[in-house]
Amino acid sequence: MLTALAEATEWGQVYILSALSKYTPKDSREAEAIVDRVTPRLNHANSAVVLGATKVILFYVDVIAQTNKDKARELMKKLRAPLVTLLSKEPEIQYVALRNLNLIVQRHKGLLGTNLKVFFCKYYDPVYVKMEKLELLIMLAADKTIDQVLLEFKEYAQKVDVEFVRKSVRGIGRLAIKNPSASEKCVHVLLDLIKTTQANYVVQEAIVVLKDIFRKYPNKYESIIGTLCDRLDNLDEAEAKAAMIWIIGEYADRIANADELLSVWVESFHDEDTQVQLQLLTATVKLFLQKPSEPSSQTLVQDILKRVTTAVDNPDLRDRGFLYWRLLHDAPNEAKRVVLADKPLLDDQSDLLEPTLRDELLHHLSTLASVYHRPPRAFVPKLKNISRPTLDTTLPTNTVKKPSGAPPPPPPPPPSSLPPPPSNLSPPWTPPGVPPPPPPPPPPPCPPPPLTSPLLGLLPVFPPPPPPP
């Protein structure tokens, strides 16, 4: 196969390289010999041959590294230029190369070095190529290159393509979460975008990512909350509203007019999205627990609990309202410990695959599996075990093949005048033609709990649940 590799056509070389990637060498010496014959294919004009040679080298480099780490390091450096060269081809080939590079970089972090300019988006790149370049820039950004990447992302956030702009703003937030040393720089870039941009979707995306930054670095960037509150009128998307409400509820003790800010959304509570309603309910309870003596917070929590438990049909929202109500009434100290508990810190792993899946996909480089980032069994069905109906009016029944000497099966019983009752229905069974009995009357609705309580004169004493009908 190695002898025929240089003389084969492009298709033949692809098949030979695919076969070599499935071969397990006996030792590192044999692996080096194979890699030496495959390395010249990295300079081939056909991108499929280049990716096939890359797959073979990546598969054998682990075997070589066991005895000769310098050789393995040299081979990884040889892969850098051919892979980067693929980004100068047609957009479709660029996309395939970027998807494969995404897999390779997850396993070999330092493969592409610190030269990230080749991944900067050009004005004529299609959107799907730009999106993949953004993902790679986020993955490859380090302390030495973070300033350069942030400048690019800030420029991207001022473009006209809405989808690309949103992805760029979210990328700034992911960089802040991924690189703690650069988080302050990322926050300043987001604040500049909020203050200078006129596009509402940029402001809203910035608020969403700032909420995640607050989760990652609690009690560090509270000074910017005032700037965020000044842009409340620009919020018209559910995700942005929910993020801003979370920020207000989380830092309600440090925002003087937190009750006024939340009351604006409470007035339009029934017109908001479910995501906003859930976040508003939790934020109001947080406000009451942090400022229990203020009449405004008492009135606000009483108002929203009454709305949620009496005038809402969503079971998730209603159940959460009853949970908070009972918790505040029966165990106010526990309510503070539960609702105001420390949140788990965020960690940006959204761009990484599970290691087992990643290693499996690396064996499928230059195939559809490496483009979809899914194993072949996930999108190629096995057709040999699928039974298909014929053109007959009746479908064939499953029959069990009997041995030649077995007695014939007994004849089926004669049909009865009435069909047997279904086995999955409980008695009494009604024969056909007989009208069914009327359904039982519905149970009386449970009256809403009274809004009186010995606890601060606010929270109600819940009545016991009604007996089952």
Side-chain angles (χ1 to χ4, degrees), residues 45-326:
N46 189 296
S47 57
V49 176
V50 175
L51 288 175
T54 302
K55 176 168 60 175
V56 175
I57 295 174
L58 289 175
F59 180 66
Y60 288 167
V61 74
D62 294 334
V63 180
I64 298 174
Q66 296 176 2
T67 57
N68 193 347
K69 293 185 178 180
D70 294 336
K71 177 69 173 179
R73 195 177 300 111
E74 180 183 353
L75 288 173
M76 297 302 294
K77 290 181 180 180
K78 290 182 178 180
L79 291 176
R80 186 178 303 170
L83 292 174
V84 170
T85 304
L86 295 177
L87 301 181
S88 61
K89 295 183 178 293
E90 295 80 2
E92 295 80 8
I93 296 179
Q94 289 185 46
Y95 179 76
V96 174
L98 289 168
R99 294 292 285 177
N100 283 267
L101 278 172
N102 193 310
L103 287 175
I104 297 172
V105 170
Q106 290 186 38
R107 175 70 183 276
H108 305 280
K109 298 291 185 181
L111 174 64
L112 300 176
T114 58
N115 185 15
L116 303 184
K117 290 185 178 180
V118 294
F119 299 107
F120 288 171
C121 300
K122 302 177 177 62
Y123 72 92
Y124 52 81
D125 284 337
V127 175
Y128 56 87
V129 173
K130 290 181 179 179
M131 295 299 185
E132 291 302 319
K133 286 184 175 181
L134 288 179
E135 285 291 334
L136 275 173
L137 286 173
I138 295 171
M139 294 173 62
L140 297 173
D143 294 339
K144 296 181 180 180
T145 58
I146 191 69
D147 294 336
Q148 191 178 14
V149 175
L150 278 177
L151 287 176
E152 282 293 313
F153 276 46
K154 185 177 180 180
E155 182 181 350
Y156 299 158
Q158 300 172 5
K159 301 296 182 181
V160 296
D161 190 332
V162 177
E163 184 181 3
F164 179 58
V165 169
R166 289 179 181 271
K167 183 82 170 182
S168 302
V169 176
R170 288 183 181 268
I172 298 174
R174 290 173 59 184
L175 288 173
I177 296 173
K178 186 177 180 181
N179 301 275
S181 60
S183 61
E184 187 172 356
K185 298 177 182 178
C186 297
V187 171
H188 287 320
V189 172
L190 291 172
L191 280 181
D192 289 341
L193 291 174
I194 292 175
K195 293 177 181 179
T196 59
T197 187
Q198 300 297 326
N200 284 348
Y201 55 86
V202 176
V203 176
Q204 297 184 98
E205 286 294 335
I207 290 177
V208 171
V209 299
L210 282 171
K211 185 259 294 184
D212 295 334
I213 293 176
F214 284 135
R215 285 278 308 272
K216 176 68 175 180
Y217 309 104
N219 304 320
K220 189 174 181 180
Y221 299 112
E222 295 84 353
S223 59
I224 68 173
I225 295 178
T227 305
L228 303 182
C229 294
D230 294 338
R231 303 302 297 266
L232 292 182
D233 296 336
N234 299 95
L235 305 183
D236 55 12
E237 297 179 2
E239 188 177 8
K241 290 181 180 180
M244 192 65 223
I245 292 171
W246 182 91
I247 295 173
I248 296 174
E250 190 70 15
Y251 298 97
D253 56 336
R254 307 177 194 184
I255 303 175
N257 60 336
D259 52 344
E260 298 178 4
L261 298 177
L262 292 178
S263 62
V264 175
W265 281 301
V266 172
E267 292 176 359
S268 60
F269 180 81
H270 295 290
D271 299 329
E272 301 292 348
D273 188 80
T274 303
Q275 179 183 4
V276 179
Q277 292 176 337
L278 288 169
Q279 201 62 254
L280 185 58
L281 171 61
T282 303
T284 307
V285 174
K286 288 180 180 179
L287 171 66
F288 171 70
L289 291 174
Q290 296 180 38
K291 300 179 179 180
S293 58
E294 293 190 3
S296 58
S297 65
Q298 298 174 3
T299 305
L300 198 62
V301 72
Q302 188 175 3
D303 182 16
I304 195 168
L305 286 177
K306 182 179 179 181
R307 290 172 183 262
V308 169
T309 55
T310 60
V312 170
D313 296 330
N314 189 310
D316 294 334
L317 186 59
R318 186 176 62 249
D319 290 349
R320 182 179 293 192
F322 277 115
L323 173 65
Y324 284 149
W325 206 340
R326 285 187 178 275

Side-chain angles (χ1 to χ4, degrees), residues 296-427:
S296 58
S297 65
Q298 298 174 3
T299 305
L300 198 62
V301 72
Q302 188 175 3
D303 182 16
I304 195 168
L305 286 177
K306 182 179 179 181
R307 290 172 183 262
V308 169
T309 55
T310 60
V312 170
D313 296 330
N314 189 310
D316 294 334
L317 186 59
R318 186 176 62 249
D319 290 349
R320 182 179 293 192
F322 277 115
L323 173 65
Y324 284 149
W325 206 340
R326 285 187 178 275
L327 198 59
L328 291 171
H329 175 263
D330 297 337
N333 293 328
E334 289 298 318
K336 191 171 185 178
R337 186 179 66 85
V338 171
V339 179
L340 301 180
D342 294 334
K343 312 298 185 298
L345 299 180
L346 293 181
D347 188 13
D348 183 55
Q349 299 291 337
S350 58
D351 57 345
L352 300 180
L353 296 173
E354 195 270 332
T356 305
L357 176 61
R358 178 202 62 199
D359 294 340
E360 180 183 356
L361 293 177
L362 284 173
H363 290 283
H364 296 287
L365 285 182
S366 71
T367 65
L368 283 177
S370 64
V371 177
Y372 293 157
H373 284 189
R374 299 171 62 190
R377 61 180 178 274
F379 58 89
V380 179
K382 297 181 179 179
L383 302 177
K384 61 181 180 179
N385 294 329
I386 297 180
S387 60
R388 302 172 181 271
T390 62
L391 295 179
D392 298 336
T393 55
T394 58
L395 293 175
T397 57
N398 296 327
T399 57
V400 180
K401 188 176 181 180
K402 299 291 184 179
S404 58
S416 59
S417 58
L418 291 177
S423 58
N424 60 346
L425 297 180
S426 58

